[in-house]
Amino acid sequence: MECEQFGNSKLLVLDGGFSSQISCHAGTKADGDPLWSARFLQTNPDDVFHTHLDFLRAGADVISTNTYQASVEGFVKHLGVSSEEALDLIRLAVDFAKRARDTYLEENDGTSRRNLKPLIAGSVGPYGAYLHDGSEYCGNYADEISSETMKEWHKPRIKTLLESGVDLLAIETIPCFKEAEVLVNLLKEYPSAKAWLSFSCKDDKSLAHGEDFQTTVIKCWEANPKQLIAIGVNCCTPKVVSNLLRGINDGREQLIPLVTYPNSGETYCPEIGWIDKDKIDSIDKYVHEWLDLGVKYVGGCCRTYQEDISRICASKVFGVSQKKKERDDKMEKLVNENEELKKVNLIVTLEKTELKKEIDKLRDDKFSDYLMLMRERDARYTLYHENLALELKCKELVNSSQCHQYNEEQGDPVILRIALDRCREQLSATQSKLKKMIDDYSDTVPRREYDVLENKHLELNKKLDTLKTEYEALDNCYRRVVAQKKNLQGELSEIKERCRELERAGTPRPQWEICADFIAGGRDRWWQLAQGLSSRDILMVLLKELGPAAETEHLEYFDGLGTDPAIPPYLRYEGKVRNLRLSRRELSIVINDIWNSKLENGRHVPMQDYVTQYFEERYAAAGVRAEWAYNVCAGARNALDEPQLRLFCGTLLAALSEDVYWAHRDAYHALKAELYRHARDGETLTLEEFEKVAKSSFPLKSEVDIKNLSDVVRKQLKMKINYNVVNLDNLFLENEEGFDRLDIARELFRQRQLAQDKYIREIVAELGGKRASNKCISVDNLKRAFAIVDPAIDHIRMERNIRWAFSDQTSELNSISPIPLRTLVARLAAGNIERVGPRYKGVYRRTFYK
């Protein structure tokens, strides 16, 4: 995504609170530190990189550099570095963000998940953050610090960020207009730079320093509209954002793009930290309201994490279900309107038919009136000419008789009276006809209104046709789903009936597999003893194997081992301990609860000490603690054929490294997270996609291993041959026995053990092979073997493996004494020893074992 996308109308998602998310990696918080999260640039560089990567994986379109509280003066004062070294730390912050973006793009190379390149924003915090007195949330320093001092303080960091290649600047948490004006004018010295400007506000109207928020926004925008891509607010509660932004663009021809990334809404108390978490709504609940106000950039600030950004990205699609409901409501409304218009159209059509009939009737009547009027006109013309003839005749008579009986100018009174009477008669008749025409045509619809209604009717018919097409498509989809449901219900009924028939037809047999829980060697040895024997013979074998243990008292109790310090602390007890006869399922539930509790509370504590602590916390009575401890240990020893129980037993007896379990657990959850991230609908994907994701998650696995994982998935989900859709919720559905009871987890552990065995065999071959089992191996010999077999191994992992193999965690490596190869191999086999990268072909050689 290039900088041209600043003008894109699409919503861009920003990252969340950097100091909050990095605490998940660093294990410590930045609260109270004068450099805040900027100190991690020197102390925890890898955690800075992974924090950026977390937000990119969550869906952020823009990530900000870890330079909010970074400054030359701050680094010099609190880290004791030079000015140039301080600038190098700022450049390093940009490099971390770029490296995270490159890693993210490589992870999604060739996929359709992302078609945009994320942007990097250089974070520019206020002058008050450097003071480390909370003044960025009140802005009081603006009354004492001059504008020139602020400019000279900001300029080195802004210049370094732009020269390091950030895509834009994030000028944020500015509490006062004075500092905002300085930064907007300073931005003009770098004409090609772009930036957004966000303020710190104390309520829903004013900046932290007291200036009116909306007035300040308009002034800053008009001061530099070409370089500012958005203006808004950050680090405030989400509840006040809408009131702050509402009305900014009212009456404006050129709208101001808006940006907001508030905090979680919690309240910070200096004495006890963040409070009121249970009284707030997540940020994604407000996203649609902000979009209506013209917000183009949305993210999170303090106390927002990777999960909050994921939820904002999910809300970014503008609520698919809500839009679907609105469309359905609109469709229903249009259908109702269409029905009403149909009724209106029918009434209008009937009225139109009646009016046509009346018009035809009126045309006939008016044609008769027209003929009558034409005759009347002709009569008037005739009367007029007769009147002229009479006047001429009168004049002739007057001239001939020289009679002056009437006034010539006024005319003959008799003739005038006759003409006046005729005109009155004609006027009365005409008025009567006009009144009749008005009464006859008063209810007639004008042509213009008729044309408008006709056009509206045509448009509604078109919309109705479109809605009918959509309705038919949805109806077909619904029918297909209903048909599939009926088929599945039919298959389910058939399977249930078949199960009932098998239960009725089956002959009851003794459950001999239960005996495996009481035989030394577990299930494998029991089946070897019982294979091919009758029930009577199996019973005799069982009694023979139990021997003294078959006695009732021995089956009911264990003998306590005493309280000698050499005995493990969880087994120190005198007297008899009741045998609870735990089933394998009960045993698995207890062991899984121990692992989960240790993950939350005591991963660093040795397993023997933690098991003692675990039972002490749950059971106050020493006898009850002893019962559970003895039964769990005895059950684990008798079920060594189960990988889950064998691993726990080996860890408890210190025969295996506990890191083997944690590495297996991390690999399982990493695969699960990647599969859900690549799922199209968040729940399902195809087997081909599963294999592709598994290969990317475990690049060292062979095609055969990936195929075996795919076969296990098909078997676990009982998928039909021609069906290849994997339901992730069903695949990773765990019960109280733990994740490692799932088939896919068992297969991952099996492949891990095989890969470790192969890796150790290659190392043994480099050290001389089985024939040199008595040969003493030094640290340098083992280093060389690791370097040849696994060239990608780093120094930290190599040193950890060497210290485990030589059982020495404190001495200098050069001072560790050599040990025999057979002892070394046994230690390696019991540790968390994994290959880091493939072996180079140039040093590969085939090794034969006899």
Side-chain angles (χ1 to χ4, degrees):
M1 181 173 67
E2 302 296 337
C3 291
E4 287 78 0
Q5 288 189 308
F6 294 145
N8 195 337
S9 61
K10 181 180 178 182
L11 173 69
L12 296 183
V13 178
L14 312 181
D15 55 9
F18 193 91
S19 65
S20 301
Q21 182 64 26
I22 198 173
S23 65
C24 299
H25 296 283
T28 181
K29 297 183 179 180
D31 296 343
D33 195 303
L35 294 177
W36 207 32
S37 61
R39 183 178 294 275
F40 292 128
L41 292 173
Q42 186 186 60
T43 61
N44 300 71
D46 290 338
D47 295 334
V48 175
F49 161 74
H50 286 103
T51 301
H52 286 310
L53 196 58
D54 287 344
F55 287 125
L56 289 172
R57 288 171 174 168
D61 300 306
V62 184
I63 58 173
S64 298
T65 59
N66 183 25
T67 54
Y68 171 81
Q69 205 146 328
S71 65
V72 175
E73 292 83 349
F75 283 149
V76 171
K77 179 179 179 180
H78 299 291
L79 292 182
V81 298
S82 64
S83 298
E84 186 58 35
E85 288 173 337
L87 294 176
D88 288 339
L89 284 175
I90 296 175
R91 297 186 187 99
L92 186 62
V94 180
D95 292 339
F96 287 148
K98 288 182 177 179
R99 183 155 66 93
R101 179 172 65 182
D102 294 341
T103 301
Y104 171 72
L105 293 175
E106 290 176 2
E107 291 178 350
N108 293 275
D109 187 22
T111 66
S112 59
R113 182 176 181 269
R114 300 283 295 177
N115 55 8
L116 300 176
K117 181 179 180 181
L119 293 173
I120 296 176
S123 176
V124 179
Y127 183 86
Y130 158 69
L131 300 177
H132 186 53
D133 56 0
S135 56
E136 67 265 40
Y137 300 110
C138 62
N140 293 338
Y141 62 88
D143 302 329
E144 302 174 359
I145 306 301
S146 65
S147 298
E148 187 63 29
T149 301
M150 293 185 191
K151 177 180 178 181
E152 294 302 320
W153 183 84
H154 278 291
K155 191 170 183 179
R157 175 171 54 176
I158 291 178
K159 180 180 178 182
T160 304
L161 288 172
L162 293 175
E163 289 176 351
S164 299
V166 297
D167 299 308
L168 70 157
L169 296 176
I171 303 174
E172 52 192 355
T173 328
I174 305 302
C176 58
F177 173 70
K178 180 178 181 180
E179 187 171 8
E181 185 179 27
V182 169
L183 288 166
V184 170
N185 292 329
L186 177 59
L187 192 62
K188 295 178 181 179
E189 298 182 12
Y190 309 95
S192 61
K194 300 289 185 180
W196 77 60
L197 175 62
S198 63
F199 292 94
S200 171
C201 295
K202 64 181 180 180
D203 51 33
D204 60 353
K205 294 182 180 179
S206 306
L207 300 185
H209 190 241
E211 297 92 334
D212 182 71
F213 173 74
Q214 295 195 2
T215 303
T216 303
V217 168
I218 294 173
K219 287 181 180 179
C220 293
W221 177 261
E222 292 177 351
N224 196 349
K226 293 183 179 179
Q227 291 181 274
L228 290 175
I229 64 169
I231 300 181
V233 61
N234 75 295
C235 205
C236 63
T237 176
K239 296 180 180 179
V240 304
V241 172
S242 298
N243 290 338
L244 285 168
L245 301 182
R246 186 177 290 110
I248 289 180
N249 287 315
D250 290 352
R252 294 184 62 87
E253 295 182 1
Q254 182 185 3
L255 301 181
I256 300 175
L258 301 176
V259 58
T260 179
Y261 44 110
N263 54 40
S264 64
E266 302 172 47
T267 303
Y268 183 75
C269 179
E271 291 78 10
I272 60 176
W274 296 93
I275 59 174
D276 296 338
K277 183 174 183 178
D278 55 341
K279 300 180 182 180
I280 60 172
D281 293 328
S282 57
I283 295 178
D284 59 289
K285 304 296 183 183
Y286 301 88
V287 171
H288 301 300
E289 180 181 350
W290 297 340
L291 293 177
D292 295 337
L293 297 176
V295 173
K296 301 298 182 184
Y297 304 85
V298 174
C301 198
C302 299
R303 299 292 291 172
T304 57
Y305 297 85
Q306 177 184 6
E307 296 78 8
D308 298 295
I309 302 304
S310 299
R311 287 195 289 268
I312 291 176
C313 291
S315 300
K316 180 181 172 184
V317 298
F318 304 108
V320 175
S321 60
Q322 182 179 358
K323 292 296 181 182
K324 181 178 182 298
K325 182 178 182 302
E326 292 177 357
R327 188 187 71 175
D328 294 342
D329 294 343
K330 184 178 180 182
M331 182 184 298
E332 183 179 358
K333 183 179 179 182
L334 289 174
V335 170
N336 294 334
E337 289 181 357
N338 183 60
E339 294 297 330
E340 294 295 330
L341 288 175
K342 278 185 177 180
K343 295 178 182 178
V344 173
N345 182 49
L346 181 60
I347 296 173
V348 171
T349 303
L350 294 175
E351 291 179 353
K352 178 181 176 182
T353 304
E354 295 296 330
L355 288 174
K356 283 185 178 180
K357 293 179 181 179
E358 291 182 6
I359 289 172
D360 293 337
K361 182 178 178 181
L362 288 173
R363 282 178 179 173
D364 295 338
D365 294 341
K366 297 311 172 185
F367 184 70
S368 300
D369 294 340
Y370 174 73
L371 292 178
M372 185 176 65
L373 290 174
M374 293 296 290
R375 294 191 188 98
E376 186 177 351
R377 186 196 64 178
D378 295 339
R380 286 184 179 183
Y381 284 148
T382 302
L383 181 62
Y384 175 72
H385 290 300
E386 289 178 354
N387 188 31
L388 288 178
L390 288 173
E391 288 181 356
L392 291 174
K393 190 173 181 179
C394 288
K395 287 181 180 181
E396 291 176 356
L397 290 173
V398 170
N399 292 330
S400 61
S401 61
Q402 297 294 321
C403 178
H404 301 282
Q405 294 179 357
Y406 63 94
N407 191 346
E408 186 174 358
E409 295 180 359
Q410 295 180 354
D412 188 359
V414 177
I415 297 174
L416 291 175
R417 182 174 294 174
I418 294 171
L420 181 60
D421 292 339
R422 292 295 302 272
C423 288
R424 286 175 177 172
E425 293 175 359
Q426 293 174 4
L427 179 62
S428 299
T430 303
Q431 288 178 343
S432 299
K433 292 178 181 178
L434 179 61
K435 182 179 180 181
K436 182 180 180 182
M437 292 180 67
I438 291 173
D439 294 335
D440 292 340
Y441 291 99
S442 62
D443 297 331
T444 303
V445 178
R447 183 71 184 181
R448 181 165 47 194
E449 295 181 8
Y450 173 80
D451 291 339
V452 171
L453 289 174
E454 186 70 20
N455 293 334
K456 187 175 181 180
H457 174 67
L458 293 175
E459 292 177 359
L460 290 174
N461 278 336
K462 292 180 181 178
K463 292 181 179 179
L464 177 61
D465 293 337
T466 304
L467 292 175
K468 282 182 177 179
T469 303
E470 295 180 0
Y471 173 78
E472 291 174 357
L474 292 173
D475 187 64
N476 291 333
C477 181
Y478 170 77
R479 292 177 184 276
R480 288 196 299 270
V481 172
V482 170
Q484 291 177 0
K485 179 183 177 182
K486 289 182 178 179
N487 293 335
L488 291 174
Q489 288 177 343
E491 292 179 6
L492 179 61
S493 299
E494 293 176 2
I495 291 172
K496 287 183 178 179
E497 182 62 29
R498 193 180 307 167
C499 290
R500 285 194 290 269
E501 291 178 359
L502 291 174
E503 288 176 358
R504 289 194 297 269
T507 302
R509 298 292 182 186
Q511 297 183 1
W512 294 112
E513 62 272 10
I514 299 177
C515 301
D517 295 335
F518 302 93
I519 295 298
R523 292 179 179 271
D524 292 340
R525 187 170 181 274
W526 169 247
W527 289 122
Q528 290 176 3
L529 295 173
Q531 185 174 10
L533 301 180
S534 64
S535 297
R536 179 181 177 83
D537 295 336
I538 292 176
L539 179 59
M540 297 303 295
V541 170
L542 175 61
L543 294 175
K544 182 179 179 181
E545 284 294 319
L546 290 176
E551 298 177 5
T552 304
E553 184 179 359
H554 191 80
L555 290 175
E556 293 294 332
Y557 296 96
F558 296 106
D559 292 328
L561 300 178
T563 58
D564 191 279
I567 297 172
Y570 54 92
L571 295 178
R572 293 174 187 171
Y573 185 78
E574 291 184 352
K576 292 187 177 298
V577 179
R578 185 164 56 101
N579 187 356
L580 300 178
R581 289 191 178 89
L582 296 178
S583 66
R584 292 208 174 193
R585 181 177 181 276
E586 294 171 335
L587 192 61
S588 298
I589 293 174
V590 174
I591 291 175
N592 182 57
D593 188 56
I594 291 174
W595 282 119
N596 290 335
S597 177
K598 196 172 193 299
L599 175 64
E600 296 177 359
N601 304 316
R603 186 167 175 174
H604 61 284
V605 181
M607 179 58 81
Q608 290 188 356
D609 296 337
Y610 186 78
V611 168
T612 305
Q613 175 185 340
Y614 174 84
F615 287 120
E616 287 177 351
E617 290 177 352
R618 282 158 178 77
Y619 307 109
V624 178
R625 291 199 300 269
E627 284 180 3
W628 281 102
Y630 274 78
N631 279 274
V632 168
C633 293
R637 289 195 189 98
N638 293 331
L640 296 179
D641 57 316
E642 290 285 348
Q644 177 200 24
L645 305 179
R646 185 171 65 250
L647 178 57
F648 175 77
C649 187
T651 305
L652 186 61
L653 299 176
L656 289 177
S657 171
E658 186 178 330
D659 292 338
V660 175
Y661 173 82
W662 299 121
H664 171 49
R665 186 188 187 102
D666 293 343
Y668 168 82
H669 286 290
L671 176 61
K672 178 180 177 181
E674 281 299 307
L675 289 173
Y676 270 103
R677 193 166 66 87
H678 285 80
R680 292 166 294 180
D681 54 359
E683 182 180 355
T684 61
L685 41 66
T686 63
L687 272 175
E688 292 77 9
E689 292 172 334
F690 171 84
E691 293 177 358
K692 185 177 180 180
V693 173
K695 186 63 179 176
S696 64
S697 300
F698 306 111
L700 297 181
K701 287 190 181 296
S702 64
E703 294 296 333
V704 176
D705 291 338
I706 300 300
K707 185 62 177 176
N708 288 338
L709 277 177
S710 178
D711 293 341
V712 169
V713 170
R714 184 180 288 276
K715 177 182 177 182
Q716 180 179 330
L717 297 180
K718 298 179 181 179
M719 298 168 57
K720 296 182 179 179
I721 296 177
N722 57 350
Y723 188 76
N724 68 338
V725 176
V726 179
N727 188 300
L728 297 181
D729 289 345
N730 293 337
L731 179 62
F732 294 105
L733 181 62
E734 302 176 14
N735 57 21
E736 61 271 20
E737 295 184 60
F739 78 95
D740 42 7
R741 300 291 291 180
L742 298 177
D743 291 345
I744 186 171
R746 288 172 179 264
E747 178 62 18
L748 285 173
F749 185 73
R750 185 189 70 84
Q751 292 184 9
R752 183 189 182 283
Q753 292 299 100
L754 292 177
Q756 180 178 350
D757 293 343
K758 181 180 178 182
Y759 184 39
I760 294 174
R761 285 199 303 271
E762 293 182 12
I763 293 174
V764 172
E766 290 296 332
L767 294 173
K770 291 185 177 180
R771 295 179 179 178
S773 60
N774 295 324
K775 176 183 177 182
C776 288
I777 305 300
S778 66
V779 171
D780 291 336
N781 296 144
L782 188 55
K783 275 187 179 180
R784 179 178 177 276
F786 273 122
I788 293 174
V789 174
D790 193 2
I793 191 171
D794 55 73
H795 294 290
I796 297 176
R797 186 182 291 266
M798 181 181 288
E799 182 178 349
R800 187 194 67 187
N801 293 347
I802 290 173
R803 289 189 179 279
W804 170 262
F806 286 89
S807 300
D808 191 334
Q809 301 296 326
T810 57
S811 303
E812 293 291 334
L813 292 180
N814 295 333
S815 63
I816 297 177
S817 302
I819 61 176
L821 178 58
R822 61 176 178 273
T823 305
L824 184 69
V825 171
R827 287 291 296 170
L828 290 175
N832 180 29
I833 309 299
E834 287 187 293
R835 184 186 294 276
V836 178
R839 186 168 183 172
Y840 295 156
K841 294 182 179 180
V843 296
Y844 174 77
R845 67 187 182 190
R846 182 175 298 175
T847 304
F848 296 94
Y849 295 95
K850 294 183 179 180

